Coordinates of all heavy atoms in Angstrom, one line a residue:
L1 N -2.2 -2.6 7.5 CA -2.9 -3.8 8.0 C -1.9 -4.7 8.6 O -1.1 -5.3 7.9 CB -3.7 -4.4 6.9 CG -4.6 -5.5 7.2 CD1 -5.8 -4.9 8.0 CD2 -5.1 -6.2 6.0
K2 N -1.8 -4.8 9.9 CA -0.8 -5.6 10.6 C 0.6 -5.3 10.1 O 1.4 -6.2 9.7 CB -1.1 -7.1 10.5 CG -2.3 -7.5 11.2 CD -2.5 -9.0 11.2 CE -3.7 -9.4 12.0 NZ -3.8 -10.8 12.1
H3 N 1.0 -4.0 10.0 CA 2.3 -3.6 9.6 C 2.7 -4.0 8.2 O 3.8 -4.3 7.9 CB 3.4 -4.0 10.6 CG 3.1 -3.5 12.0 ND1 3.3 -2.2 12.3 CD2 2.7 -4.2 13.1 CE1 3.0 -2.1 13.6 NE2 2.6 -3.2 14.1
R4 N 1.7 -4.0 7.3 CA 1.9 -4.3 5.9 C 1.3 -3.3 5.0 O 0.2 -2.8 5.3 CB 1.3 -5.7 5.5 CG 2.1 -6.8 5.9 CD 1.5 -8.1 5.4 NE 1.9 -9.2 6.3 CZ 1.2 -9.5 7.4 NH1 0.0 -8.9 7.6 NH2 1.6 -10.5 8.2
L5 N 1.9 -3.0 3.9 CA 1.3 -2.1 2.9 C 0.4 -3.0 2.1 O 0.8 -4.1 1.6 CB 2.4 -1.5 2.0 CG 3.4 -0.6 2.7 CD1 4.4 -0.1 1.6 CD2 2.7 0.6 3.3
V6 N -0.8 -2.6 1.9 CA -1.8 -3.5 1.2 C -2.5 -2.7 0.1 O -3.2 -3.3 -0.7 CB -2.8 -4.1 2.1 CG1 -2.1 -5.1 3.1 CG2 -3.6 -3.1 2.9
G7 N -2.3 -1.4 0.1 CA -3.0 -0.6 -1.0 C -2.4 0.8 -1.1 O -1.6 1.2 -0.3
R8 N -2.8 1.4 -2.2 CA -2.3 2.8 -2.4 C -3.4 3.6 -3.0 O -4.4 3.1 -3.6 CB -1.1 2.8 -3.4 CG -1.4 2.3 -4.8 CD -0.2 2.4 -5.7 NE -0.5 2.0 -7.0 CZ -0.9 2.8 -8.0 NH1 -1.2 4.1 -7.7 NH2 -1.2 2.3 -9.2
C9 N -3.3 4.9 -3.0 CA -4.2 5.9 -3.6 C -3.4 6.8 -4.4 O -2.3 7.2 -4.1 CB -5.0 6.6 -2.6 SG -6.2 5.7 -1.6
E10 N -4.0 7.2 -5.6 CA -3.3 8.3 -6.4 C -3.6 9.6 -5.8 O -4.6 9.9 -5.3 CB -3.8 8.2 -7.8 CG -3.4 7.0 -8.5 CD -3.8 7.0 -10.0 OE1 -3.7 8.1 -10.6 OE2 -4.2 5.9 -10.5
I11 N -2.6 10.5 -5.9 CA -2.7 11.9 -5.5 C -3.4 12.7 -6.6 O -3.0 12.6 -7.8 CB -1.3 12.5 -5.2 CG1 -0.7 11.8 -4.0 CG2 -1.5 14.0 -4.9 CD1 0.7 12.2 -3.7
S12 N -4.5 13.4 -6.3 CA -5.2 14.2 -7.3 C -4.9 15.6 -7.2 O -5.2 16.4 -8.1 CB -6.7 13.9 -7.2 OG -7.2 14.4 -6.0
G13 N -4.3 16.1 -6.1 CA -3.9 17.5 -6.0 C -3.5 17.9 -4.6 O -3.4 17.0 -3.7
F14 N -3.3 19.2 -4.4 CA -2.9 19.7 -3.1 C -3.8 20.9 -2.8 O -4.2 21.6 -3.7 CB -1.4 20.1 -3.1 CG -0.5 19.0 -3.5 CD1 -0.1 18.7 -4.8 CD2 0.0 18.2 -2.4 CE1 0.7 17.7 -5.1 CE2 0.9 17.1 -2.7 CZ 1.2 16.9 -4.1
E15 N -4.1 21.1 -1.5 CA -4.9 22.3 -1.1 C -4.2 22.9 0.1 O -3.6 22.3 1.0 CB -6.3 21.8 -0.6 CG -7.1 21.2 -1.7 CD -8.5 20.7 -1.2 OE1 -8.6 20.6 0.0 OE2 -9.3 20.3 -2.0
D16 N -4.3 24.3 0.2 CA -3.8 25.0 1.3 C -4.6 24.7 2.5 O -5.9 24.5 2.4 CB -3.8 26.5 1.0 CG -2.8 26.9 0.0 OD1 -1.8 26.2 -0.1 OD2 -3.0 27.9 -0.7
A17 N -4.0 24.6 3.7 CA -4.7 24.3 4.9 C -4.3 25.3 6.0 O -3.4 26.1 5.7 CB -4.4 22.9 5.4
E18 N -4.9 25.2 7.1 CA -4.6 26.2 8.2 C -3.2 26.1 8.6 O -2.5 25.0 8.5 CB -5.5 25.9 9.4 CG -7.0 26.2 9.2 CD -7.8 25.9 10.5 OE1 -7.2 26.0 11.6 OE2 -9.0 25.6 10.3
G19 N -2.6 27.2 9.1 CA -1.3 27.2 9.7 C -0.2 27.0 8.7 O 0.9 26.5 9.0
G20 N -0.4 27.3 7.4 CA 0.6 27.2 6.4 C 0.9 25.8 6.0 O 1.8 25.5 5.3
R21 N 0.0 24.9 6.4 CA 0.1 23.5 6.0 C -0.5 23.2 4.6 O -1.2 24.1 4.1 CB -0.5 22.6 7.0 CG 0.1 22.7 8.4 CD -0.6 21.8 9.4 NE 0.0 21.9 10.7 CZ 0.7 21.0 11.2 NH1 0.9 19.8 10.6 NH2 1.2 21.1 12.4
T22 N -0.3 22.0 4.1 CA -0.9 21.6 2.8 C -1.5 20.3 3.0 O -1.0 19.4 3.6 CB 0.2 21.5 1.7 OG1 0.8 22.8 1.6 CG2 -0.4 21.1 0.4
H23 N -2.8 20.2 2.5 CA -3.5 18.9 2.5 C -3.1 18.2 1.2 O -3.2 18.8 0.1 CB -5.0 19.1 2.6 CG -5.4 19.4 4.0 ND1 -6.7 19.9 4.2 CD2 -4.8 19.3 5.2 CE1 -6.8 20.1 5.5 NE2 -5.7 19.7 6.1
I24 N -2.9 16.9 1.2 CA -2.7 16.1 0.0 C -4.1 15.5 -0.3 O -4.7 14.8 0.6 CB -1.7 15.0 0.3 CG1 -0.3 15.6 0.6 CG2 -1.6 14.1 -1.0 CD1 0.7 14.6 1.0
V25 N -4.6 15.7 -1.4 CA -5.9 15.3 -1.8 C -5.8 14.0 -2.6 O -5.0 13.9 -3.6 CB -6.7 16.3 -2.7 CG1 -8.1 15.8 -3.1 CG2 -6.8 17.6 -2.0
L26 N -6.4 12.9 -2.1 CA -6.3 11.6 -2.7 C -7.5 11.2 -3.5 O -8.6 11.6 -3.1 CB -6.0 10.5 -1.7 CG -4.8 10.7 -0.8 CD1 -4.8 9.6 0.3 CD2 -3.5 10.6 -1.6
K27 N -7.3 10.5 -4.6 CA -8.5 9.9 -5.3 C -9.1 8.9 -4.4 O -8.4 8.2 -3.7 CB -8.1 9.3 -6.6 CG -7.6 10.4 -7.6 CD -7.3 9.8 -9.0 CE -6.8 10.8 -9.9 NZ -6.5 10.3 -11.2
P28 N -10.5 8.7 -4.4 CA -11.1 7.8 -3.5 C -10.9 6.3 -3.8 O -11.4 5.5 -3.0 CB -12.6 8.2 -3.6 CG -12.7 8.8 -4.9 CD -11.4 9.5 -5.2
L29 N -10.3 6.0 -4.9 CA -10.1 4.5 -5.2 C -8.9 4.0 -4.5 O -7.8 4.5 -4.7 CB -10.0 4.4 -6.7 CG -9.7 3.0 -7.3 CD1 -10.9 2.1 -7.0 CD2 -9.4 3.1 -8.7
L30 N -9.0 2.9 -3.8 CA -7.9 2.2 -3.2 C -7.4 1.1 -4.2 O -8.2 0.3 -4.6 CB -8.3 1.5 -1.9 CG -7.2 0.8 -1.1 CD1 -6.1 1.7 -0.7 CD2 -7.7 0.0 0.1
I31 N -6.2 1.1 -4.5 CA -5.6 0.2 -5.5 C -4.8 -0.9 -4.7 O -3.8 -0.6 -4.0 CB -4.6 0.9 -6.5 CG1 -5.4 1.9 -7.2 CG2 -4.0 -0.1 -7.4 CD1 -4.5 2.9 -8.0
P32 N -5.3 -2.2 -4.7 CA -4.6 -3.2 -3.9 C -3.2 -3.4 -4.5 O -2.9 -3.4 -5.7 CB -5.4 -4.4 -4.1 CG -6.7 -4.0 -4.8 CD -6.4 -2.7 -5.4
V33 N -2.2 -3.6 -3.5 CA -0.8 -3.9 -3.9 C -0.3 -5.1 -3.3 O -0.9 -5.7 -2.4 CB 0.1 -2.7 -3.5 CG1 -0.3 -1.4 -4.2 CG2 0.2 -2.5 -2.0
E34 N 0.8 -5.7 -3.8 CA 1.4 -6.8 -3.3 C 1.7 -6.5 -1.8 O 2.4 -5.6 -1.5 CB 2.7 -7.1 -4.0 CG 3.5 -8.2 -3.5 CD 4.8 -8.4 -4.2 OE1 5.2 -7.5 -5.1 OE2 5.5 -9.3 -3.9
P35 N 1.1 -7.3 -0.8 CA 1.4 -7.0 0.6 C 2.8 -7.2 0.9 O 3.4 -8.2 0.6 CB 0.5 -8.0 1.3 CG -0.4 -8.6 0.3 CD 0.2 -8.4 -1.0
I36 N 3.4 -6.1 1.5 CA 4.8 -6.2 1.9 C 4.9 -5.7 3.4 O 4.3 -4.7 3.7 CB 5.8 -5.5 1.0 CG1 5.4 -4.0 0.9 CG2 5.9 -6.1 -0.3 CD1 6.5 -3.1 0.2
P37 N 5.7 -6.3 4.2 CA 5.9 -5.8 5.6 C 6.6 -4.5 5.6 O 7.6 -4.3 4.9 CB 6.7 -6.9 6.3 CG 7.2 -7.9 5.2 CD 6.5 -7.5 3.9
R38 N 6.1 -3.6 6.5 CA 6.8 -2.3 6.7 C 6.5 -1.8 8.1 O 5.3 -1.9 8.5 CB 6.3 -1.2 5.7 CG 6.8 -1.4 4.3 CD 8.2 -0.9 4.2 NE 8.6 -0.9 2.9 CZ 9.5 -1.7 2.4 NH1 10.1 -2.6 3.1 NH2 9.9 -1.6 1.1
R39 N 7.5 -1.3 8.8 CA 7.2 -0.7 10.1 C 6.5 0.6 9.8 O 6.8 1.3 8.8 CB 8.5 -0.5 10.9 CG 9.1 -1.8 11.3 CD 10.4 -1.5 12.1 NE 10.7 -2.7 12.8 CZ 11.1 -2.7 14.1 NH1 11.2 -1.6 14.7 NH2 11.4 -3.8 14.6
A40 N 5.7 1.0 10.8 CA 5.0 2.3 10.6 C 5.9 3.5 10.9 O 6.5 3.6 11.9 CB 3.8 2.4 11.6
H41 N 6.1 4.3 9.8 CA 6.8 5.6 10.0 C 6.4 6.4 8.8 O 5.9 5.9 7.8 CB 8.3 5.4 10.1 CG 9.0 4.8 8.9 ND1 9.4 5.5 7.8 CD2 9.3 3.5 8.7 CE1 10.0 4.7 7.0 NE2 9.9 3.5 7.4
Q42 N 6.7 7.7 8.8 CA 6.3 8.6 7.8 C 6.9 8.3 6.4 O 6.2 8.5 5.4 CB 6.6 10.1 8.2 CG 5.8 10.5 9.4 CD 4.3 10.7 9.1 OE1 3.9 11.0 8.0 NE2 3.4 10.4 10.0
G43 N 8.1 8.0 6.3 CA 8.8 7.9 5.1 C 8.3 6.8 4.1 O 8.5 7.0 2.9
W44 N 7.7 5.8 4.6 CA 7.3 4.7 3.7 C 6.2 5.1 2.7 O 5.9 4.4 1.8 CB 7.0 3.4 4.4 CG 5.9 3.4 5.4 CD1 6.1 3.4 6.7 CD2 4.5 3.3 5.1 NE1 4.8 3.3 7.3 CE2 3.9 3.3 6.4 CE3 3.7 3.3 4.0 CZ2 2.5 3.3 6.5 CZ3 2.4 3.3 4.1 CH2 1.7 3.3 5.3
R45 N 5.6 6.2 3.0 CA 4.5 6.6 2.1 C 4.9 7.0 0.7 O 4.1 7.0 -0.2 CB 3.7 7.8 2.7 CG 3.0 7.4 4.0 CD 2.2 8.5 4.5 NE 3.1 9.7 4.8 CZ 2.6 10.8 5.3 NH1 1.3 11.0 5.5 NH2 3.4 11.8 5.5
Y46 N 6.2 7.4 0.5 CA 6.7 7.9 -0.7 C 7.8 7.0 -1.2 O 8.9 7.2 -0.8 CB 7.1 9.3 -0.6 CG 6.0 10.2 0.1 CD1 6.2 10.5 1.5 CD2 4.9 10.5 -0.5 CE1 5.2 11.2 2.1 CE2 3.9 11.2 0.1 CZ 4.0 11.6 1.4 OH 3.1 12.3 2.0
F47 N 7.5 6.1 -2.1 CA 8.5 5.2 -2.7 C 9.0 5.7 -4.0 O 8.2 6.2 -4.8 CB 8.0 3.8 -2.9 CG 7.8 3.0 -1.6 CD1 6.5 2.7 -1.2 CD2 8.9 2.5 -0.9 CE1 6.4 1.9 0.0 CE2 8.7 1.8 0.2 CZ 7.5 1.5 0.7
A48 N 10.3 5.5 -4.3 CA 10.7 5.6 -5.7 C 10.0 4.5 -6.5 O 9.7 3.4 -5.9 CB 12.2 5.4 -5.8
G49 N 9.8 4.7 -7.8 CA 9.0 3.7 -8.6 C 9.6 2.3 -8.5 O 8.8 1.3 -8.3
E50 N 10.9 2.1 -8.5 CA 11.4 0.8 -8.4 C 11.3 0.1 -7.1 O 11.4 -1.1 -6.9 CB 12.9 0.8 -8.9 CG 13.8 1.5 -8.0 CD 13.9 3.0 -8.3 OE1 13.2 3.5 -9.2 OE2 14.7 3.7 -7.6
D51 N 11.1 0.9 -6.0 CA 10.9 0.4 -4.7 C 9.5 0.1 -4.2 O 9.2 -0.5 -3.2 CB 11.6 1.3 -3.6 CG 13.0 1.5 -3.9 OD1 13.7 0.5 -4.3 OD2 13.6 2.6 -3.6
A52 N 8.5 0.6 -5.0 CA 7.1 0.5 -4.6 C 6.6 -0.9 -4.9 O 7.0 -1.6 -5.8 CB 6.3 1.5 -5.5
P53 N 5.7 -1.4 -4.0 CA 5.1 -2.7 -4.2 C 4.3 -2.7 -5.5 O 3.7 -1.7 -5.9 CB 4.2 -2.9 -3.0 CG 4.0 -1.6 -2.4 CD 5.1 -0.7 -2.8
H54 N 4.3 -3.9 -6.2 CA 3.5 -4.0 -7.4 C 2.0 -4.0 -7.2 O 1.6 -4.5 -6.2 CB 3.9 -5.3 -8.1 CG 5.3 -5.4 -8.5 ND1 5.8 -4.7 -9.6 CD2 6.3 -6.0 -7.9 CE1 7.1 -5.0 -9.7 NE2 7.5 -5.8 -8.7
D55 N 1.3 -3.4 -8.1 CA -0.2 -3.5 -8.0 C -0.6 -4.9 -8.2 O 0.0 -5.6 -9.0 CB -0.9 -2.6 -9.1 CG -0.7 -1.1 -8.8 OD1 -0.2 -0.7 -7.8 OD2 -1.1 -0.4 -9.7
L56 N -1.6 -5.4 -7.4 CA -2.0 -6.8 -7.6 C -2.5 -7.0 -9.0 O -2.3 -8.1 -9.6 CB -3.1 -7.2 -6.6 CG -2.6 -7.4 -5.2 CD1 -3.7 -7.7 -4.3 CD2 -1.5 -8.5 -5.1
S57 N -3.2 -6.0 -9.6 CA -3.7 -6.2 -11.0 C -2.5 -6.3 -12.0 O -2.8 -6.8 -13.1 CB -4.6 -5.0 -11.3 OG -3.9 -3.8 -11.3
D58 N -1.3 -5.9 -11.6 CA -0.2 -6.0 -12.6 C 0.3 -7.4 -12.8 O 0.9 -7.8 -13.8 CB 1.0 -5.2 -12.1 CG 0.8 -3.7 -12.3 OD1 -0.2 -3.3 -12.9 OD2 1.6 -3.0 -11.7
F59 N 0.1 -8.3 -11.8 CA 0.6 -9.7 -12.0 C -0.4 -10.8 -11.6 O 0.0 -11.9 -11.5 CB 1.9 -9.8 -11.3 CG 1.8 -9.7 -9.8 CD1 1.6 -10.7 -8.9 CD2 2.0 -8.4 -9.2 CE1 1.5 -10.6 -7.6 CE2 1.9 -8.2 -7.8 CZ 1.7 -9.3 -7.0
T60 N -1.6 -10.5 -11.5 CA -2.6 -11.5 -11.2 C -3.7 -11.5 -12.2 O -4.0 -10.4 -12.8 CB -3.2 -11.4 -9.8 OG1 -3.8 -10.1 -9.7 CG2 -2.2 -11.5 -8.7
V61 N -4.3 -12.6 -12.4 CA -5.5 -12.6 -13.2 C -6.7 -13.2 -12.3 O -6.4 -13.7 -11.3 CB -5.3 -13.5 -14.5 CG1 -4.3 -12.9 -15.4 CG2 -5.0 -14.9 -14.1
S62 N -7.9 -13.0 -12.8 CA -9.0 -13.5 -12.0 C -8.8 -14.9 -11.6 O -8.5 -15.8 -12.3 CB -10.3 -13.3 -12.8 OG -11.4 -13.7 -12.1
G63 N -9.0 -15.2 -10.3 CA -8.9 -16.5 -9.7 C -7.6 -16.8 -9.2 O -7.4 -17.9 -8.5
D64 N -6.6 -16.0 -9.4 CA -5.2 -16.2 -8.9 C -5.0 -15.7 -7.5 O -3.9 -16.0 -6.9 CB -4.2 -15.6 -9.8 CG -3.9 -16.4 -11.1 OD1 -4.5 -17.5 -11.2 OD2 -3.2 -15.9 -12.0
L65 N -5.9 -15.0 -6.9 CA -5.6 -14.4 -5.6 C -5.9 -15.5 -4.5 O -6.9 -16.2 -4.5 CB -6.6 -13.2 -5.3 CG -6.3 -12.0 -6.2 CD1 -7.4 -11.0 -5.9 CD2 -4.9 -11.5 -5.9
L66 N -5.0 -15.5 -3.5 CA -5.2 -16.4 -2.3 C -6.2 -15.7 -1.4 O -6.3 -14.5 -1.3 CB -3.9 -16.6 -1.6 CG -2.8 -17.4 -2.4 CD1 -1.5 -17.4 -1.7 CD2 -3.3 -18.8 -2.7
P67 N -6.8 -16.5 -0.5 CA -7.7 -15.9 0.5 C -6.8 -15.0 1.4 O -5.6 -15.2 1.6 CB -8.2 -17.1 1.3 CG -8.1 -18.2 0.4 CD -6.9 -17.9 -0.5
R68 N -7.4 -13.8 1.9 CA -6.7 -12.9 2.6 C -6.0 -13.4 3.8 O -4.8 -13.2 4.1 CB -7.6 -11.7 3.1 CG -6.9 -10.6 3.8 CD -7.8 -9.5 4.2 NE -9.0 -9.9 5.0 CZ -9.0 -10.2 6.3 NH1 -7.9 -10.0 7.0 NH2 -10.1 -10.6 6.9
E69 N -6.7 -14.3 4.6 CA -6.1 -14.9 5.8 C -4.8 -15.7 5.4 O -3.8 -15.7 6.1 CB -7.1 -15.8 6.5 CG -8.3 -15.0 7.1 CD -9.4 -14.8 6.0 OE1 -9.3 -15.4 4.9 OE2 -10.3 -14.0 6.3
L70 N -4.9 -16.5 4.3 CA -3.7 -17.3 3.9 C -2.6 -16.4 3.5 O -1.4 -16.7 3.8 CB -4.1 -18.3 2.8 CG -3.0 -19.2 2.3 CD1 -2.4 -20.0 3.4 CD2 -3.6 -20.1 1.2
T71 N -2.9 -15.4 2.7 CA -1.9 -14.4 2.3 C -1.2 -13.8 3.5 O 0.0 -13.7 3.5 CB -2.5 -13.3 1.4 OG1 -3.1 -13.9 0.3 CG2 -1.4 -12.3 1.0
E72 N -1.9 -13.4 4.5 CA -1.4 -12.8 5.7 C -0.4 -13.8 6.4 O 0.7 -13.5 6.9 CB -2.5 -12.4 6.7 CG -3.2 -11.2 6.3 CD -4.4 -10.8 7.2 OE1 -4.6 -11.5 8.2 OE2 -5.1 -9.8 6.9
Q73 N -0.9 -15.1 6.6 CA 0.0 -16.1 7.2 C 1.2 -16.3 6.4 O 2.3 -16.4 7.0 CB -0.8 -17.4 7.4 CG -2.0 -17.2 8.4 CD -2.9 -18.5 8.4 OE1 -2.7 -19.4 7.6 NE2 -3.8 -18.5 9.4
L74 N 1.1 -16.5 5.1 CA 2.3 -16.7 4.3 C 3.3 -15.5 4.3 O 4.5 -15.6 4.3 CB 1.9 -17.0 2.9 CG 1.2 -18.3 2.7 CD1 0.7 -18.4 1.2 CD2 2.1 -19.5 3.0
S75 N 2.7 -14.3 4.4 CA 3.5 -13.1 4.5 C 4.3 -13.0 5.8 O 5.4 -12.6 5.8 CB 2.6 -11.9 4.3 OG 3.4 -10.7 4.4
E76 N 3.6 -13.4 6.9 CA 4.3 -13.4 8.2 C 5.5 -14.3 8.2 O 6.5 -14.0 8.9 CB 3.3 -13.9 9.3 CG 2.3 -12.8 9.6 CD 1.2 -13.3 10.6 OE1 1.4 -14.4 11.2 OE2 0.3 -12.6 10.8
I77 N 5.6 -15.4 7.4 CA 6.7 -16.2 7.4 C 7.6 -16.0 6.2 O 8.5 -16.7 5.9 CB 6.4 -17.7 7.5 CG1 5.5 -18.2 6.4 CG2 5.7 -18.0 8.9 CD1 5.2 -19.7 6.4
G78 N 7.3 -14.9 5.4 CA 8.2 -14.5 4.3 C 8.0 -15.2 3.0 O 8.9 -15.2 2.2
L79 N 6.9 -15.9 2.8 CA 6.7 -16.6 1.6 C 5.9 -15.9 0.5 O 5.9 -16.4 -0.6 CB 6.0 -18.0 1.9 CG 6.8 -18.9 2.8 CD1 6.0 -20.2 3.1 CD2 8.1 -19.3 2.1
V80 N 5.3 -14.8 0.8 CA 4.7 -13.9 -0.2 C 5.1 -12.5 0.0 O 5.5 -12.1 1.1 CB 3.2 -14.1 -0.3 CG1 2.8 -15.4 -0.8 CG2 2.5 -13.7 1.0

């Protein structure tokens, strides 16, 4: 979303696909994460645990979330 990571999905398995390829099967639940800016490229999909953005549920409680538009604006200037 505007060059930011905003969510993640858990991998539930792998399936063989045509041409010797493999499909990565994801669970259908999107887990919101702390929005962080990232340029689009293949490598950012796989973070080491310490480099991955925190799940929003890990450090927020009900009512602590800012409106999405405000979060985007603050992120653009590096404040969140």
Side-chain angles (χ1 to χ4, degrees):
L1 191 69
K2 290 190 177 180
H3 302 290
R4 279 187 211 89
L5 298 178
V6 296
R8 68 177 180 87
C9 291
E10 290 185 39
I11 296 173
S12 64
F14 301 91
E15 296 176 350
D16 291 331
E18 291 182 29
R21 296 175 181 255
T22 301
H23 285 163
I24 301 172
V25 181
L26 302 175
K27 292 185 179 179
L29 176 67
L30 179 65
I31 301 166
V33 298
E34 175 186 7
I36 58 173
R38 285 284 186 250
R39 289 180 166 226
H41 64 86
Q42 293 292 325
W44 61 255
R45 296 184 298 178
Y46 310 104
F47 285 111
E50 64 274 3
D51 297 329
H54 298 284
D55 291 353
L56 286 179
S57 61
D58 285 350
F59 63 91
T60 58
V61 294
S62 179
D64 282 351
L65 295 176
L66 296 172
R68 183 180 54 83
E69 295 83 12
L70 180 58
T71 301
E72 288 175 0
Q73 291 171 355
L74 293 172
S75 179
E76 287 175 9
I77 60 174
L79 294 176
V80 292

